[in-house]
């Protein structure tokens, strides 16, 4: 059985395939010619649904898409859906991270959020799976792993005071927002495969 992931990012496709390994589902990336619209909605769910709907419509296949970001309590939940362009439209991960370090005090609450939307074009059904990971702002950046805001994110469930960037990929998957949302999706896929016989 196959799913289409609405992304041209091979890293994201492989990551989801790893999280669904052994479930009997294979993950294809988006065909080259299919273009996605801008991710400019006000919620993670709307952004994810927009991409999954576009992919399902363009290909006629069962499609999923994700949207994720970080919310800082000290900023009233910002940057949220604007996490990728927090320091400007073309901002790099490094510029976004430095802006967060300037604006958010060490020790204050952070949360990673991930929403995966699934759209089945055969019957028009739409489902959402979400995952959250609570944490705190580190006093300084640490670690080489992960990406984005990981060097300053100390998850509540992390061993010791390690940042996400100091965890192995497997350790991060176990507690991350994306790992949690993907396990919700996986449980649903396994259930639906069992029901289909
Ligand atoms: P998108 O889901 O690809 O739109 O990514 C949103 C942005 O949120 C990324 O560019 C990162 O800045 C941030 N982000 C999402 N998930 C993570 C994560 O696991 N670690 C660090 N940053 C993340």
């Amino acid at each position: 059985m196959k799913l289409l992931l609405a992304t041209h990012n091979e890293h994201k496709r492989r990551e989801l395939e790893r999280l669904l390994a052994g479930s009997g589902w294979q993950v294809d990336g988006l065909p080259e010619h299919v273009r996605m619209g801008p991710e400019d909605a006000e919620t993670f769910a709307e952004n994810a649904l927009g991409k999954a709907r576009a992919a399902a419509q363009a290909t006629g296949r069962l499609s999923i898409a994700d949207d994720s970001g970080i919310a800082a309590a000290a900023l009233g939940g910002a940057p949220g859906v604007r996490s990728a362009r927090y320091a400007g439209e073309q901002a790099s991960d490094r510029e976004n991270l430095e802006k967060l370090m300037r604006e958010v005090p060490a020790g204050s609450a952070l949360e990673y959020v991930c929403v995966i939307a699934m759209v089945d074009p055969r019957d028009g059904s739409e489902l959402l799976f979400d995952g959250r990971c609570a944490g705190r702002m580190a006093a300084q950046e640490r670690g080489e792993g992960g990406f984005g805001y990981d060097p300053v994110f100390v998850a509540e469930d992390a061993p010791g005071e390690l940042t996400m960037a100091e965890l192995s990929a497997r350790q991060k998957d176990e507690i991350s927002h994306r790992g949690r949302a993907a396990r919700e999706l996986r449980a649903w896929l396994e259930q639906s495969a069992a029901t289909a016989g």
Side-chain angles (χ1 to χ4, degrees), residues 12 39 67-69 83-84 112 147-150 172 177-178:
K12 267 198 176 180
E39 295 179 33
D67 194 37
S68 60
S83 295
Y112 273 145
F147 69 101
Y149 301 98
D150 284 346
K172 182 178 168 184
H177 50 318
R178 199 168 296 100

Side-chain angles (χ1 to χ4, degrees), residues 28-50:
D28 290 333
L30 204 55
E32 249 338 285
H33 68 276
V34 182
R35 292 276 139 236
M36 289 287 102
E39 295 179 33
D40 54 7
E42 287 303 315
T43 64
F44 294 109
E46 283 173 279
N47 275 334
L49 265 175

Side-chain angles (χ1 to χ4, degrees), residues 4-6 30 36 45-59 61-66 116-121 126-128:
L4 184 79
L5 175 64
L30 204 55
M36 289 287 102
E46 283 173 279
N47 275 334
L49 265 175
K51 289 188 280 185
R53 283 181 189 137
Q57 199 171 18
T59 64
R61 295 180 50 189
L62 181 62
S63 299
I64 59 173
D66 81 321
I116 299 176
M118 175 190 282
V119 174
D120 188 341
E126 300 185 336
L127 285 171
L128 294 171

Side-chain angles (χ1 to χ4, degrees), residues 141-174:
E141 60 178 300
R142 296 191 313 265
E144 304 296 325
F147 69 101
Y149 301 98
D150 284 346
V152 294
F153 193 102
V154 180
E156 263 174 19
D157 298 337
E161 284 291 297
L162 297 182
T163 68
M164 284 293 207
E166 293 177 301
L167 302 182
S168 66
R170 183 188 289 262
Q171 283 175 312
K172 182 178 168 184
D173 285 350
E174 266 173 37

Side-chain angles (χ1 to χ4, degrees), residues 10-31:
E10 179 59 12
H11 173 82
K12 267 198 176 180
R13 189 197 68 75
R14 271 201 246 115
E15 182 178 275
L16 190 71
E17 193 148 70
R18 177 161 47 84
L19 289 163
L20 296 182
S23 68
W25 288 82
Q26 216 181 302
V27 183
D28 290 333
L30 204 55

Side-chain angles (χ1 to χ4, degrees), residues 44 69-83 86 100 109 111 113:
F44 294 109
I70 190 169
L75 303 175
V81 289
R82 292 177 189 79
S83 295
Y86 181 35
L100 196 79
E111 185 177 51
V113 181

